[in-house]
CSV table of all heavy atoms in Angstrom, one decimal:
chain,number,residue,atom,x,y,z
G,10,MET,N,0.6,-9.1,-17.3
G,10,MET,CA,-0.5,-8.5,-16.7
G,10,MET,C,-0.9,-9.2,-15.4
G,10,MET,O,-0.9,-10.4,-15.3
G,10,MET,CB,-1.7,-8.5,-17.7
G,10,MET,CG,-2.9,-8.1,-17.1
G,10,MET,SD,-3.9,-6.8,-17.8
G,10,MET,CE,-4.7,-7.4,-19.2
G,11,VAL,N,-1.3,-8.4,-14.4
G,11,VAL,CA,-1.7,-8.9,-13.1
G,11,VAL,C,-3.1,-9.5,-13.2
G,11,VAL,O,-4.0,-8.9,-13.8
G,11,VAL,CB,-1.7,-7.8,-12.0
G,11,VAL,CG1,-2.1,-8.3,-10.7
G,11,VAL,CG2,-0.3,-7.1,-11.9
G,12,LYS,N,-3.2,-10.7,-12.6
G,12,LYS,CA,-4.5,-11.3,-12.5
G,12,LYS,C,-4.9,-11.4,-11.0
G,12,LYS,O,-4.2,-12.0,-10.2
G,12,LYS,CB,-4.4,-12.7,-13.1
G,12,LYS,CG,-5.8,-13.3,-13.3
G,12,LYS,CD,-5.7,-14.6,-14.1
G,12,LYS,CE,-7.0,-15.4,-14.0
G,12,LYS,NZ,-6.8,-16.8,-13.8
G,13,ILE,N,-6.0,-10.8,-10.7
G,13,ILE,CA,-6.5,-10.8,-9.3
G,13,ILE,C,-7.8,-11.5,-9.3
G,13,ILE,O,-8.7,-11.1,-10.1
G,13,ILE,CB,-6.6,-9.4,-8.7
G,13,ILE,CG1,-5.3,-8.6,-8.8
G,13,ILE,CG2,-7.1,-9.4,-7.2
G,13,ILE,CD1,-5.5,-7.1,-8.6
G,14,THR,N,-8.0,-12.4,-8.4
G,14,THR,CA,-9.3,-13.1,-8.3
G,14,THR,C,-9.8,-13.1,-6.9
G,14,THR,O,-9.0,-13.3,-6.0
G,14,THR,CB,-9.3,-14.5,-8.9
G,14,THR,OG1,-8.3,-15.2,-8.3
G,14,THR,CG2,-9.2,-14.5,-10.4
G,15,ILE,N,-11.1,-13.0,-6.7
G,15,ILE,CA,-11.7,-13.2,-5.4
G,15,ILE,C,-12.7,-14.3,-5.5
G,15,ILE,O,-13.6,-14.3,-6.3
G,15,ILE,CB,-12.4,-11.9,-4.9
G,15,ILE,CG1,-11.4,-10.7,-4.8
G,15,ILE,CG2,-13.1,-12.1,-3.6
G,15,ILE,CD1,-12.1,-9.4,-4.5
G,16,ASP,N,-12.5,-15.3,-4.6
G,16,ASP,CA,-13.4,-16.4,-4.6
G,16,ASP,C,-14.6,-16.1,-3.7
G,16,ASP,O,-14.4,-16.1,-2.5
G,16,ASP,CB,-12.7,-17.7,-4.1
G,16,ASP,CG,-13.6,-18.9,-4.1
G,16,ASP,OD1,-14.8,-18.7,-4.2
G,16,ASP,OD2,-13.1,-20.0,-4.1
G,17,TYR,N,-15.7,-15.7,-4.3
G,17,TYR,CA,-16.8,-15.2,-3.5
G,17,TYR,C,-17.5,-16.3,-2.7
G,17,TYR,O,-18.3,-16.0,-1.8
G,17,TYR,CB,-17.8,-14.5,-4.4
G,17,TYR,CG,-17.3,-13.1,-4.9
G,17,TYR,CD1,-16.9,-12.9,-6.2
G,17,TYR,CD2,-17.1,-12.1,-4.0
G,17,TYR,CE1,-16.4,-11.7,-6.6
G,17,TYR,CE2,-16.6,-10.8,-4.4
G,17,TYR,CZ,-16.2,-10.7,-5.7
G,17,TYR,OH,-15.8,-9.4,-6.1
G,18,ASP,N,-17.2,-17.5,-3.0
G,18,ASP,CA,-17.7,-18.6,-2.1
G,18,ASP,C,-17.0,-18.6,-0.8
G,18,ASP,O,-17.5,-19.1,0.2
G,18,ASP,CB,-17.5,-20.0,-2.8
G,18,ASP,CG,-18.5,-20.1,-4.0
G,18,ASP,OD1,-19.5,-19.4,-4.0
G,18,ASP,OD2,-18.1,-20.9,-4.9
G,19,LYS,N,-15.8,-18.1,-0.7
G,19,LYS,CA,-15.0,-18.1,0.5
G,19,LYS,C,-15.0,-16.8,1.2
G,19,LYS,O,-14.8,-16.7,2.4
G,19,LYS,CB,-13.5,-18.5,0.2
G,19,LYS,CG,-13.3,-19.9,-0.3
G,19,LYS,CD,-11.9,-20.1,-0.6
G,19,LYS,CE,-11.6,-21.5,-1.2
G,19,LYS,NZ,-10.2,-21.6,-1.6
G,20,CYS,N,-15.1,-15.7,0.4
G,20,CYS,CA,-14.9,-14.3,0.9
G,20,CYS,C,-16.1,-13.9,1.8
G,20,CYS,O,-17.3,-14.2,1.5
G,20,CYS,CB,-14.9,-13.3,-0.3
G,20,CYS,SG,-14.8,-11.6,0.2
G,21,ASP,N,-15.7,-13.3,3.0
G,21,ASP,CA,-16.7,-12.9,4.0
G,21,ASP,C,-17.2,-11.4,3.6
G,21,ASP,O,-17.9,-10.8,4.4
G,21,ASP,CB,-16.2,-12.9,5.4
G,21,ASP,CG,-16.0,-14.3,5.9
G,21,ASP,OD1,-16.8,-15.2,5.4
G,21,ASP,OD2,-15.1,-14.6,6.7
G,22,GLY,N,-16.7,-10.8,2.6
G,22,GLY,CA,-17.1,-9.5,2.1
G,22,GLY,C,-16.8,-8.4,3.1
G,22,GLY,O,-15.8,-8.4,3.8
G,23,ALA,N,-17.7,-7.5,3.1
G,23,ALA,CA,-17.5,-6.3,3.9
G,23,ALA,C,-17.4,-6.6,5.4
G,23,ALA,O,-16.9,-5.8,6.2
G,23,ALA,CB,-18.7,-5.3,3.7
G,24,ASP,N,-17.9,-7.7,5.9
G,24,ASP,CA,-17.8,-8.1,7.3
G,24,ASP,C,-16.3,-8.4,7.7
G,24,ASP,O,-16.0,-8.3,8.9
G,24,ASP,CB,-18.6,-9.4,7.6
G,24,ASP,CG,-20.1,-9.2,7.5
G,24,ASP,OD1,-20.5,-8.0,7.6
G,24,ASP,OD2,-20.8,-10.1,7.3
G,25,CYS,N,-15.5,-8.7,6.7
G,25,CYS,CA,-14.1,-8.9,7.0
G,25,CYS,C,-13.2,-7.7,6.5
G,25,CYS,O,-12.8,-6.9,7.2
G,25,CYS,CB,-13.7,-10.2,6.3
G,25,CYS,SG,-11.9,-10.5,6.3
G,26,ALA,N,-13.1,-7.7,5.1
G,26,ALA,CA,-12.4,-6.6,4.5
G,26,ALA,C,-10.9,-6.4,4.9
G,26,ALA,O,-10.4,-5.3,4.8
G,26,ALA,CB,-13.2,-5.3,4.6
G,27,GLU,N,-10.3,-7.4,5.4
G,27,GLU,CA,-8.9,-7.3,5.8
G,27,GLU,C,-8.0,-6.9,4.6
G,27,GLU,O,-7.1,-6.1,4.7
G,27,GLU,CB,-8.4,-8.6,6.3
G,27,GLU,CG,-9.0,-9.1,7.6
G,27,GLU,CD,-8.4,-8.6,8.8
G,27,GLU,OE1,-7.3,-8.0,8.7
G,27,GLU,OE2,-9.0,-8.7,9.9
G,28,CYS,N,-8.3,-7.4,3.5
G,28,CYS,CA,-7.5,-7.1,2.2
G,28,CYS,C,-7.7,-5.6,1.9
G,28,CYS,O,-6.7,-5.0,1.4
G,28,CYS,CB,-7.9,-8.0,1.1
G,28,CYS,SG,-9.7,-7.9,0.6
G,29,VAL,N,-8.9,-5.1,2.0
G,29,VAL,CA,-9.1,-3.7,1.7
G,29,VAL,C,-8.3,-2.8,2.6
G,29,VAL,O,-7.7,-1.8,2.2
G,29,VAL,CB,-10.6,-3.4,1.9
G,29,VAL,CG1,-10.9,-1.9,1.7
G,29,VAL,CG2,-11.5,-4.2,0.9
G,30,ASP,N,-8.2,-3.2,3.9
G,30,ASP,CA,-7.4,-2.4,4.9
G,30,ASP,C,-5.9,-2.4,4.5
G,30,ASP,O,-5.3,-1.4,4.8
G,30,ASP,CB,-7.6,-3.0,6.3
G,30,ASP,CG,-9.0,-2.7,6.8
G,30,ASP,OD1,-9.7,-1.9,6.2
G,30,ASP,OD2,-9.4,-3.4,7.8
G,31,VAL,N,-5.4,-3.5,4.0
G,31,VAL,CA,-4.0,-3.5,3.8
G,31,VAL,C,-3.5,-3.1,2.4
G,31,VAL,O,-2.3,-2.8,2.3
G,31,VAL,CB,-3.4,-4.9,4.2
G,31,VAL,CG1,-3.6,-5.2,5.6
G,31,VAL,CG2,-3.9,-6.0,3.3
G,32,CYS,N,-4.3,-3.2,1.5
G,32,CYS,CA,-3.9,-2.9,0.1
G,32,CYS,C,-3.3,-1.5,0.0
G,32,CYS,O,-4.1,-0.5,0.2
G,32,CYS,CB,-5.0,-3.1,-0.9
G,32,CYS,SG,-4.4,-2.7,-2.6
G,33,PRO,N,-2.1,-1.3,-0.3
G,33,PRO,CA,-1.5,0.0,-0.4
G,33,PRO,C,-1.9,0.8,-1.6
G,33,PRO,O,-1.7,2.0,-1.7
G,33,PRO,CB,0.0,-0.2,-0.4
G,33,PRO,CG,0.2,-1.6,-0.9
G,33,PRO,CD,-1.0,-2.4,-0.6
G,34,MET,N,-2.4,0.1,-2.6
G,34,MET,CA,-2.7,0.7,-3.9
G,34,MET,C,-4.2,1.0,-4.1
G,34,MET,O,-4.7,1.4,-5.2
G,34,MET,CB,-2.2,-0.1,-5.0
G,34,MET,CG,-0.8,-0.6,-4.9
G,34,MET,SD,0.4,0.8,-4.6
G,34,MET,CE,0.4,1.5,-6.3
G,35,GLU,N,-5.0,0.7,-3.1
G,35,GLU,CA,-6.5,0.8,-3.1
G,35,GLU,C,-7.1,0.1,-4.3
G,35,GLU,O,-8.0,0.6,-5.0
G,35,GLU,CB,-6.9,2.3,-3.1
G,35,GLU,CG,-6.5,3.0,-1.8
G,35,GLU,CD,-6.9,4.4,-1.7
G,35,GLU,OE1,-7.6,4.9,-2.6
G,35,GLU,OE2,-6.5,5.1,-0.7
G,36,VAL,N,-6.5,-1.1,-4.6
G,36,VAL,CA,-7.1,-1.9,-5.7
G,36,VAL,C,-8.3,-2.7,-5.2
G,36,VAL,O,-9.3,-2.9,-6.0
G,36,VAL,CB,-6.0,-3.0,-6.1
G,36,VAL,CG1,-6.6,-4.0,-7.1
G,36,VAL,CG2,-4.8,-2.2,-6.7
G,37,LEU,N,-8.3,-3.0,-3.9
G,37,LEU,CA,-9.5,-3.8,-3.4
G,37,LEU,C,-10.3,-2.8,-2.6
G,37,LEU,O,-9.8,-2.1,-1.7
G,37,LEU,CB,-9.0,-4.9,-2.5
G,37,LEU,CG,-8.1,-5.9,-3.2
G,37,LEU,CD1,-7.3,-6.7,-2.2
G,37,LEU,CD2,-8.9,-6.8,-4.1
G,38,ILE,N,-11.6,-2.7,-2.9
G,38,ILE,CA,-12.5,-1.8,-2.2
G,38,ILE,C,-13.8,-2.5,-1.8
G,38,ILE,O,-14.2,-3.5,-2.4
G,38,ILE,CB,-12.8,-0.5,-3.1
G,38,ILE,CG1,-13.5,-0.9,-4.4
G,38,ILE,CG2,-11.5,0.3,-3.4
G,38,ILE,CD1,-14.2,0.3,-5.0
G,39,ILE,N,-14.5,-1.8,-0.9
G,39,ILE,CA,-15.8,-2.3,-0.5
G,39,ILE,C,-16.9,-1.7,-1.4
G,39,ILE,O,-16.9,-0.5,-1.5
G,39,ILE,CB,-16.1,-2.0,1.0
G,39,ILE,CG1,-15.0,-2.7,1.9
G,39,ILE,CG2,-17.5,-2.4,1.4
G,39,ILE,CD1,-15.1,-2.3,3.4
G,40,ASP,N,-17.7,-2.5,-1.9
G,40,ASP,CA,-18.9,-2.0,-2.7
G,40,ASP,C,-20.1,-2.7,-2.1
G,40,ASP,O,-20.4,-3.9,-2.4
G,40,ASP,CB,-18.7,-2.4,-4.2
G,40,ASP,CG,-19.8,-1.8,-5.0
G,40,ASP,OD1,-20.6,-1.1,-4.5
G,40,ASP,OD2,-19.9,-2.2,-6.2
G,41,GLY,N,-20.8,-2.0,-1.3
G,41,GLY,CA,-22.0,-2.6,-0.6
G,41,GLY,C,-21.5,-3.7,0.3
G,41,GLY,O,-20.7,-3.4,1.2
G,42,GLU,N,-21.9,-4.9,0.1
G,42,GLU,CA,-21.5,-6.1,1.0
G,42,GLU,C,-20.3,-6.8,0.4
G,42,GLU,O,-19.7,-7.7,1.1
G,42,GLU,CB,-22.7,-7.1,1.1
G,42,GLU,CG,-23.8,-6.5,1.9
G,42,GLU,CD,-23.4,-6.2,3.3
G,42,GLU,OE1,-22.9,-7.0,4.0
G,42,GLU,OE2,-23.6,-5.0,3.7
G,43,LYS,N,-19.9,-6.4,-0.8
G,43,LYS,CA,-18.9,-7.2,-1.5
G,43,LYS,C,-17.5,-6.5,-1.5
G,43,LYS,O,-17.5,-5.2,-1.5
G,43,LYS,CB,-19.3,-7.4,-3.0
G,43,LYS,CG,-20.2,-8.6,-3.2
G,43,LYS,CD,-20.7,-8.7,-4.6
G,43,LYS,CE,-19.7,-9.4,-5.5
G,43,LYS,NZ,-20.2,-9.7,-6.9
G,44,ILE,N,-16.5,-7.3,-1.7
G,44,ILE,CA,-15.1,-6.7,-2.0
G,44,ILE,C,-15.0,-6.8,-3.5
G,44,ILE,O,-15.3,-7.8,-4.1
G,44,ILE,CB,-14.0,-7.6,-1.4
G,44,ILE,CG1,-14.2,-7.8,0.1
G,44,ILE,CG2,-12.7,-6.9,-1.7
G,44,ILE,CD1,-14.3,-6.6,1.0
G,45,VAL,N,-14.7,-5.7,-4.1
G,45,VAL,CA,-14.5,-5.6,-5.6
G,45,VAL,C,-13.1,-5.1,-5.9
G,45,VAL,O,-12.4,-4.5,-5.1
G,45,VAL,CB,-15.6,-4.8,-6.3
G,45,VAL,CG1,-17.0,-5.4,-6.1
G,45,VAL,CG2,-15.5,-3.4,-5.9
G,46,ILE,N,-12.7,-5.4,-7.2
G,46,ILE,CA,-11.4,-5.1,-7.7
G,46,ILE,C,-11.5,-3.8,-8.6
G,46,ILE,O,-12.4,-3.8,-9.5
G,46,ILE,CB,-10.8,-6.3,-8.4
G,46,ILE,CG1,-10.7,-7.5,-7.5
G,46,ILE,CG2,-9.5,-5.9,-9.1
G,46,ILE,CD1,-10.6,-8.8,-8.3
G,47,GLN,N,-10.7,-2.8,-8.3
G,47,GLN,CA,-10.7,-1.7,-9.2
G,47,GLN,C,-9.3,-1.3,-9.6
G,47,GLN,O,-8.4,-1.7,-8.9
G,47,GLN,CB,-11.4,-0.5,-8.5
G,47,GLN,CG,-10.6,0.0,-7.3
G,47,GLN,CD,-11.0,1.4,-6.8
G,47,GLN,OE1,-12.0,2.0,-7.3
G,47,GLN,NE2,-10.2,2.0,-5.9
G,48,ASN,N,-9.1,-0.7,-10.6
G,48,ASN,CA,-7.7,-0.2,-11.1
G,48,ASN,C,-6.7,-1.3,-10.9
G,48,ASN,O,-5.7,-1.1,-10.3
G,48,ASN,CB,-7.3,1.0,-10.3
G,48,ASN,CG,-8.3,2.2,-10.5
G,48,ASN,OD1,-8.9,2.3,-11.5
G,48,ASN,ND2,-8.4,3.0,-9.5
G,49,LYS,N,-7.0,-2.5,-11.4
G,49,LYS,CA,-6.1,-3.7,-11.3
G,49,LYS,C,-4.7,-3.4,-11.8
G,49,LYS,O,-3.7,-3.9,-11.2
G,49,LYS,CB,-6.8,-4.8,-12.2
G,49,LYS,CG,-6.1,-6.0,-12.2
G,49,LYS,CD,-6.9,-7.0,-13.0
G,49,LYS,CE,-6.8,-6.7,-14.5
G,49,LYS,NZ,-7.1,-7.9,-15.4
G,50,GLU,N,-4.6,-2.5,-12.7
G,50,GLU,CA,-3.2,-2.1,-13.3
G,50,GLU,C,-2.4,-1.4,-12.2
G,50,GLU,O,-1.2,-1.3,-12.4
G,50,GLU,CB,-3.3,-1.3,-14.5
G,50,GLU,CG,-4.0,0.0,-14.4
G,50,GLU,CD,-5.6,0.0,-14.4
G,50,GLU,OE1,-6.1,-1.1,-14.5
G,50,GLU,OE2,-6.2,1.0,-14.2
G,51,GLU,N,-3.0,-0.9,-11.1
G,51,GLU,CA,-2.2,-0.3,-10.1
G,51,GLU,C,-1.6,-1.3,-9.1
G,51,GLU,O,-0.7,-1.0,-8.3
G,51,GLU,CB,-3.1,0.6,-9.2
G,51,GLU,CG,-3.7,1.8,-10.0
G,51,GLU,CD,-2.7,2.8,-10.3
G,51,GLU,OE1,-1.8,3.1,-9.5
G,51,GLU,OE2,-2.8,3.3,-11.5
G,52,CYS,N,-2.0,-2.5,-9.2
G,52,CYS,CA,-1.5,-3.6,-8.3
G,52,CYS,C,0.0,-3.7,-8.4
G,52,CYS,O,0.6,-3.8,-9.5
G,52,CYS,CB,-2.2,-4.9,-8.6
G,52,CYS,SG,-1.6,-6.3,-7.6
G,53,SER,N,0.7,-3.7,-7.2
G,53,SER,CA,2.2,-3.9,-7.2
G,53,SER,C,2.6,-5.3,-6.9
G,53,SER,O,3.8,-5.5,-6.7
G,53,SER,CB,2.7,-2.9,-6.1
G,53,SER,OG,2.2,-3.3,-4.8
G,54,LEU,N,1.7,-6.2,-6.9
G,54,LEU,CA,2.0,-7.6,-6.6
G,54,LEU,C,2.6,-7.8,-5.3
G,54,LEU,O,3.5,-8.8,-5.1
G,54,LEU,CB,2.8,-8.2,-7.7
G,54,LEU,CG,2.1,-8.6,-9.0
G,54,LEU,CD1,3.1,-8.7,-10.2
G,54,LEU,CD2,1.4,-9.9,-8.9
G,55,CYS,N,2.3,-7.0,-4.3
G,55,CYS,CA,2.9,-7.1,-3.0
G,55,CYS,C,2.4,-8.4,-2.2
G,55,CYS,O,3.0,-8.9,-1.3
G,55,CYS,CB,2.7,-5.9,-2.1
G,55,CYS,SG,1.0,-5.6,-1.7
G,56,GLU,N,1.2,-8.8,-2.6
G,56,GLU,CA,0.6,-10.0,-2.1
G,56,GLU,C,0.2,-10.0,-0.6
G,56,GLU,O,-0.1,-11.0,0.0
G,56,GLU,CB,1.5,-11.3,-2.3
G,56,GLU,CG,1.7,-11.5,-3.8
G,56,GLU,CD,2.5,-12.8,-4.1
G,56,GLU,OE1,2.8,-13.5,-3.1
G,56,GLU,OE2,2.6,-13.1,-5.2
G,57,VAL,N,0.1,-8.8,0.0
G,57,VAL,CA,-0.3,-8.7,1.4
G,57,VAL,C,-1.8,-9.0,1.5
G,57,VAL,O,-2.2,-9.6,2.6
G,57,VAL,CB,0.0,-7.3,2.0
G,57,VAL,CG1,1.5,-7.0,2.2
G,57,VAL,CG2,-0.7,-6.2,1.3
G,58,CYS,N,-2.5,-8.8,0.5
G,58,CYS,CA,-4.0,-9.2,0.5
G,58,CYS,C,-4.1,-10.7,0.7
G,58,CYS,O,-5.0,-11.2,1.5
G,58,CYS,CB,-4.7,-8.7,-0.7
G,58,CYS,SG,-3.9,-9.1,-2.3
G,59,MET,N,-3.3,-11.4,0.0
G,59,MET,CA,-3.3,-12.9,0.1
G,59,MET,C,-2.9,-13.3,1.5
G,59,MET,O,-3.4,-14.2,2.1
G,59,MET,CB,-2.4,-13.5,-0.9
G,59,MET,CG,-2.9,-13.4,-2.4
G,59,MET,SD,-1.6,-13.9,-3.6
G,59,MET,CE,-1.5,-15.7,-3.2
G,60,ASP,N,-1.9,-12.6,2.0
G,60,ASP,CA,-1.4,-13.0,3.4
G,60,ASP,C,-2.4,-12.7,4.5
G,60,ASP,O,-2.5,-13.5,5.4
G,60,ASP,CB,-0.1,-12.1,3.7
G,60,ASP,CG,1.1,-12.5,2.8
G,60,ASP,OD1,1.0,-13.6,2.2
G,60,ASP,OD2,2.0,-11.7,2.7
G,61,VAL,N,-3.2,-11.7,4.4
G,61,VAL,CA,-4.1,-11.3,5.5
G,61,VAL,C,-5.4,-12.0,5.4
G,61,VAL,O,-6.2,-12.1,6.4
G,61,VAL,CB,-4.3,-9.8,5.7
G,61,VAL,CG1,-3.0,-9.1,6.0
G,61,VAL,CG2,-5.0,-9.2,4.5
G,62,CYS,N,-5.8,-12.5,4.2
G,62,CYS,CA,-7.1,-13.1,4.0
G,62,CYS,C,-7.2,-14.4,4.9
G,62,CYS,O,-6.5,-15.3,4.7
G,62,CYS,CB,-7.4,-13.4,2.6
G,62,CYS,SG,-9.1,-14.1,2.4
G,63,PRO,N,-8.2,-14.4,5.8
G,63,PRO,CA,-8.3,-15.6,6.7
G,63,PRO,C,-8.9,-16.8,5.9
G,63,PRO,O,-8.9,-17.9,6.4
G,63,PRO,CB,-9.2,-15.1,7.8
G,63,PRO,CG,-10.1,-14.0,7.2
G,63,PRO,CD,-9.2,-13.4,6.2
G,64,ASN,N,-9.5,-16.6,4.8
G,64,ASN,CA,-10.2,-17.6,4.0
G,64,ASN,C,-9.5,-18.1,2.7
G,64,ASN,O,-10.0,-18.8,2.0
G,64,ASN,CB,-11.6,-17.2,3.7
G,64,ASN,CG,-12.4,-16.8,4.9
G,64,ASN,OD1,-12.3,-17.4,6.0
G,64,ASN,ND2,-13.2,-15.7,4.8
G,65,GLU,N,-8.3,-17.5,2.5
G,65,GLU,CA,-7.6,-17.8,1.2
G,65,GLU,C,-8.5,-17.5,0.0
G,65,GLU,O,-8.5,-18.3,-0.9
G,65,GLU,CB,-7.0,-19.2,1.2
G,65,GLU,CG,-5.9,-19.3,2.3
G,65,GLU,CD,-5.3,-20.7,2.3
G,65,GLU,OE1,-5.7,-21.6,1.5
G,65,GLU,OE2,-4.4,-20.9,3.1
G,66,ALA,N,-9.2,-16.4,0.1
G,66,ALA,CA,-10.2,-16.1,-1.0
G,66,ALA,C,-9.6,-15.2,-2.1
G,66,ALA,O,-10.1,-15.2,-3.2
G,66,ALA,CB,-11.4,-15.4,-0.4
G,67,VAL,N,-8.5,-14.6,-1.7
G,67,VAL,CA,-7.8,-13.7,-2.7
G,67,VAL,C,-6.7,-14.4,-3.4
G,67,VAL,O,-5.8,-15.0,-2.7
G,67,VAL,CB,-7.4,-12.4,-2.0
G,67,VAL,CG1,-6.9,-11.4,-3.1
G,67,VAL,CG2,-8.4,-11.8,-1.1
G,68,ASN,N,-6.5,-14.2,-4.6
G,68,ASN,CA,-5.4,-14.7,-5.4
G,68,ASN,C,-4.9,-13.7,-6.3
G,68,ASN,O,-5.6,-13.1,-7.1
G,68,ASN,CB,-5.7,-16.0,-6.1
G,68,ASN,CG,-4.5,-16.7,-6.6
G,68,ASN,OD1,-3.6,-17.0,-5.9
G,68,ASN,ND2,-4.4,-16.8,-7.9
G,69,VAL,N,-3.6,-13.5,-6.2
G,69,VAL,CA,-2.9,-12.5,-7.1
G,69,VAL,C,-1.8,-13.2,-7.8
G,69,VAL,O,-0.9,-13.9,-7.2
G,69,VAL,CB,-2.3,-11.3,-6.3
G,69,VAL,CG1,-1.6,-10.3,-7.2
G,69,VAL,CG2,-3.4,-10.6,-5.5
G,70,GLU,N,-1.8,-13.1,-9.1
G,70,GLU,CA,-0.6,-13.7,-9.9
G,70,GLU,C,-0.3,-12.8,-11.1
G,70,GLU,O,-1.1,-12.0,-11.5
G,70,GLU,CB,-1.0,-15.1,-10.3
G,70,GLU,CG,-2.2,-15.3,-11.1
G,70,GLU,CD,-2.7,-16.7,-11.2
G,70,GLU,OE1,-1.8,-17.6,-11.6
G,70,GLU,OE2,-3.8,-17.0,-11.0
G,71,GLU,N,0.8,-13.0,-11.6
G,71,GLU,CA,1.3,-12.2,-12.7
G,71,GLU,C,0.7,-12.8,-14.0
G,71,GLU,O,0.6,-14.0,-14.1
G,71,GLU,CB,2.8,-12.2,-12.8
G,71,GLU,CG,3.3,-10.9,-13.3
G,71,GLU,CD,4.7,-10.6,-13.0
G,71,GLU,OE1,5.3,-11.4,-12.2
G,71,GLU,OE2,5.3,-9.7,-13.6
O,11,SF4,S1,-1.1,-7.6,-4.2
O,11,SF4,FE1,-0.8,-5.7,-3.0
O,11,SF4,S2,-1.3,-4.0,-4.4
O,11,SF4,FE2,-2.1,-5.9,-5.3
O,11,SF4,S3,-4.3,-6.0,-4.7
O,11,SF4,FE3,-3.1,-7.2,-3.2
O,11,SF4,S4,-2.6,-5.8,-1.6
O,11,SF4,FE4,-3.2,-4.6,-3.4
């Protein structure tokens, strides 16, 4: 099972949202000021969200 975590102490939220822009599966979405995870089971483990996050706030693991 995929485990996705967002460290909200590091995440810049909607002001950044780089991960939301790149996620091909729409797993990461903007909800108000926050980035939230939806439909986690759709995650393809491509890890581009981890690659683009400037704060290393996103972690994806199997
Ligand atoms: S690993 Fe890929 S599919 Fe999964 S949340 Fe990140 S960008 Fe989306």
Side-chain angles (χ1 to χ4, degrees):
M10 172 125 75
V11 179
K12 187 172 170 225
I13 307 168
T14 52
I15 298 172
D16 183 341
Y17 288 110
D18 291 334
K19 295 180 182 172
C20 179
D21 290 332
D24 290 340
C25 169
E27 295 275 347
C28 59
V29 174
D30 290 342
V31 297
C32 178
M34 309 306 287
E35 298 183 3
V36 171
L37 301 162
I38 61 160
I39 296 172
D40 182 10
E42 290 300 305
K43 278 176 83 172
I44 310 299
V45 297
I46 300 157
Q47 66 164 10
N48 302 330
K49 180 176 72 157
E50 61 282 359
E51 297 290 322
C52 176
S53 59
L54 281 161
C55 68
E56 298 187 359
V57 294
C58 51
M59 291 172 66
D60 292 342
V61 298
C62 181
N64 302 323
E65 295 183 0
V67 189
N68 190 57
V69 180
E70 59 193 310
E71 215 166 346

